[in-house]
């Protein structure tokens, strides 16, 4: 027996599965046998008694899980941090464990109420006592970890649990003597796995397969060179013994029904203190403020989801609910992240939602100078479509040329900031880094706006004919308004427009002044002209819908013809091209840009094969747009979406709901998705516009 070692156990006199608080308990209510449980517990007790002293806490009626003493609290030296159970079903255990700790000479620390932490079930010392691995995600809050670091004066490494079967850290992670670790990596998020790999060298990591993990092989008690567990496969046993340990199996099947095994049934109460080491936790906390229709628009949910999904945690400290339908709410939220990196990831997403630091914490943004043309500093802030401001010399300055996926740059001699693509950065530009002193200005999105968005957005696969018609009516109305007010509508279109018979309708829109710029690729122009000149689109007769003999050569002949004339405009001037979309563009001086791609035939002389140049032409034509109609080209629509700032209404039409979702789901109220055939859409749009114009003319003549 290793005489100095002590464990706390609780006999299973009142043990049963009475409720369900973890997936193992499902279907097991009152299905465990008390006799068998008592027998299995005694065997475990005996094994442990052979190697250490076992103290017992008196079992209590009404708290059947008290048998799992690992959850009593966390002990180091003579300090015990008492558990605050997440589930009310186990909260009744707290006073009994507290009493035991006090009666046994421990100084008991209690966490603030509503800050769950489930003791040694979620916190395991490295066997050399150098650090504390602490789990969070299901039962314990990340915010409890700084308290552990402070009270126990130990380095805390936070690990996020992802698989609800492994809801406590000790169900999937077991530090062993000599720096070994028995663990099940899929139970953790990527960041936590990286942290484990940074700290534990590969030869010391004993990775457990799912079948062993499901038998609670990681829920082992390690005393010197023995590892006591419910059960392990031969392969695992071999690997553990190759590492110099002896495995003792003792069946604990009755306790598995409640989601626990050997380690859960014990609490090590003699953890050695390493006086030379001191407390720290990489955990960071920050306050943020959110204002707006937080509940109606779902903003608060989105913000809190961002925090949790990225591996952080939150506390809503203040919530002022706007009581009237039109009044806004505000919230102050404390965000906690396991590391600086995770905090920056969370903060940059919260900034996108319009989050602000509280007034007392607002500071200037951080700038770093570019040292290589076209390369930003590592930590540069990546822009979004939303109007952004940065704080300089205690004032908020609006960033120009807003677009997504850029850096915010100030040239060496100016105090004006603009969005710059990486390739445009120049040595000596100063670039905003980190997340301090940056805010985005978001429109307050009300319940009504959200409903409209949901109504018009048809990504849910329920695009009945009538719903398409309703959306088209709305778009037609806006198109007419924009035209009448001298606004700008930009159309990006793919060749499907022509294949589906939409060419004549789009040409009509150009002719009638509804389009102020056209963006596309080589293909739409080639197919449009092929249809105008030969009546086919990629060799298919557009009237009869059948392939024309030798038709596959048509598009090359068209390309060749335009090449002979030198450009599309010259082909129109020569009187050769007499109708179609490109014809109308040339005739009505509507600028167009054709961005080339690797698969382009020809290409047409107008196709811009220098992609950087093409992106610049697109950006120039998009500037000042009121609406962008994205018609059935994923490629060009995504390109356009990336360079468009918020505030520009985008209408995306595609037959594939996934494409519509991708393009419309930019968190912007201005996006409308229509899942339908683009030819049908254009035909309905033209009909609706004619109806509107006709009504207008009738009204004027009365
Ligand atoms: N001849 C050339 O030089 C040349 C060059 C490039 C591309 N192309 C041709 O262009 C086509 C691809 O164009 P892209 O780059 O824009 O492709 P893309 O895949 O990016 O986009 C096409 C989109 O059209 C959608 N779509 C398909 N049928 C539809 C319908 N009936 N109504 C509405 N949406 C519909 C698809 O879901 C898809 O999202 C291919 O046929 C390709 O061969 C030809
Ligand atoms: N340290 C542990 N993993 N303990 C297991 C606790 C089991 C208990 N039924 C619960 O869900 O809380």
């Amino acid at each position: 027996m290793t005489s100095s070692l002590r464990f706390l156990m609780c006999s299973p006199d009142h043990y049963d599965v009475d409720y369900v608080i973890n997936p193992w308990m499902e279907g097991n209510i009152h299905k465990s046998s008390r006799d068998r449980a008592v027998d299995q517990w005694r065997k475990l007790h005996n094994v442990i008694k052979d190697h250490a002293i076992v103290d017992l806490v008196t079992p209590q009626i009404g708290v059947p899980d008290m048998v799992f003493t690992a959850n009593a609290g966390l002990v180091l030296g003579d300090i015990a941090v008492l558990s605050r159970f997440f589930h009310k079903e186990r909260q009744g255990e707290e006073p009994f464990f507290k009493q035991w700790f006090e009666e046994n000479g421990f100084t008991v620390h209690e966490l603030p109420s509503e800050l769950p932490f489930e003791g040694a079930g979620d916190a395991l010392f490295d066997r050399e006592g150098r650090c504390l691995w602490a789990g969070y995600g299901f039962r314990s809050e990340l915010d409890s970890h700084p308290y552990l670091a402070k009270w126990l004066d130990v380095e805390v490494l936070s690990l996020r649990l992802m698989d609800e079967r492994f809801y406590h850290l000790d169900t999937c992670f077991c530090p062993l003597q000599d720096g070994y670790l028995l663990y099940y990596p899929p139970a953790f998020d990527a960041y936590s796995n990286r942290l484990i790999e940074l700290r534990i060298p590969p030869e010391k990591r004993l990775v457990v397969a799912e079948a062993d993990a499901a038998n609670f092989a990681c829920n082992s008690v390690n005393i010197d060179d023995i590892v006591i567990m419910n059960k392990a496969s031969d392969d695992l046993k071999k690997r553990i013994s190759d590492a110099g340990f002896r495995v003792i199996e003792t069946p604990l099947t009755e306790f598995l029904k409640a989601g626990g095994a050997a380690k859960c049934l014990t609490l090590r109460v003699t953890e050695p203190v390493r006086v030379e080491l001191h407390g720290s936790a990489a955990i960071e906390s920050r306050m943020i403020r959110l204002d707006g229709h937080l509940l109606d628009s779902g903003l608060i949910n989105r913000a809190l989801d961002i925090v949790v999904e990225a591996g952080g945690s939150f506390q809503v400290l203040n919530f002022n609910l706007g009581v009237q339908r039109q009044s806004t709410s505000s919230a102050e939220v404390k965000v906690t992240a396991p590391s600086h990196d995770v905090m920056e990831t969370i903060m940059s997403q919260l900034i996108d939602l319009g989050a602000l630091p509280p007034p007392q914490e607002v500071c200037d943004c951080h700038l770093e100078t570019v040292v290589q043309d076209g390369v930003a500093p590592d930590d540069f802030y990546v822009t979004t479509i939303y109007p952004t401001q940065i704080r300089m010399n205690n004032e908020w300055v609006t960033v120009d040329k807003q677009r997504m996926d850029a850096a915010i740059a100030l040239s060496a001699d100016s105090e004006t900031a603009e969005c710059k693509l990486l390739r445009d950065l120049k040595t000596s530009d100063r670039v905003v880094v980190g997340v301090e002193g940056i805010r985005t200005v978001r429109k307050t999105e009300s319940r009504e706006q959200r409903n409209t968005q949901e109504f018009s957005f048809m990504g849910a696969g329920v695009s009945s004919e009538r719903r398409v018609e309703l959306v088209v009516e709305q778009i037609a109305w806006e198109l007419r308004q924009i035209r009448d007010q001298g606004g700008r509508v930009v159309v990006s279109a793919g060749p499907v427009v022509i294949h589906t018979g939409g060419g004549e309708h789009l040409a009509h829109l150009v002719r009638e002044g509804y389009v102020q710029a056209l963006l596309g690729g080589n293909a739409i122009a080639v197919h449009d002209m092929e249809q105008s000149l030969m009546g086919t689109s990629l060799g298919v007769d557009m009237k009869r819908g059948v392939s024309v003999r030798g038709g596959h050569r048509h598009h090359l002949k068209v390309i060749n013809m335009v090449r002979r004339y030198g450009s599309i405009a010259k082909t129109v001037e020569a009187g050769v091209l007499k109708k179609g979309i490109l014809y109308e563009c040339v005739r009505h001086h509507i600028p167009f840009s054709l961005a080339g791609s690797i698969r382009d035939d020809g290409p047409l002389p107008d196709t811009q094969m220098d992609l950087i140049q093409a992106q610049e032409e697109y950006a120039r034509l998009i500037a000042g747009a009121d609406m962008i109609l994205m018609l059935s080209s994923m490629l060009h629509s995504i390109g356009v979406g990336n360079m468009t700032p918020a505030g520009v209404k985008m209408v995306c039409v595609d037959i594939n709901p996934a494409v519509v979702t991708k393009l419309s789901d930019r968190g912007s109220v201005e996006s409308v998705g229509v899942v339908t055939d683009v030819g049908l859409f254009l035909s309905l749009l033209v009909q609706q516009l004619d109806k509107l114009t006709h009504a207008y003319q009738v009204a004027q003549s009365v």
Side-chain angles (χ1 to χ4, degrees), residues 495 498-499 521-534 536-539 553-560 562 568 577 582 594 600-605 607:
I498 313 297
H499 306 325
N522 194 60
I524 180 152
V526 175
H527 298 326
D528 168 57
M529 290 186 289
E530 178 188 335
Q531 207 218 324
S532 304
L533 293 162
M534 301 181 167
T536 56
S537 172
L538 259 192
R553 298 203 185 90
H554 285 185
H555 78 285
L556 283 173
K557 294 205 165 168
V558 169
I559 294 172
N560 197 41
V562 179
I568 296 172
L577 183 64
L582 272 301
L594 307 176
D600 289 347
D601 298 322
L604 291 165
T607 303

Side-chain angles (χ1 to χ4, degrees), residues 199 284 296 481 554 660:
R199 291 296 186 117
E284 272 191 22
D296 284 19
Q481 298 260 87
H554 285 185
V660 171

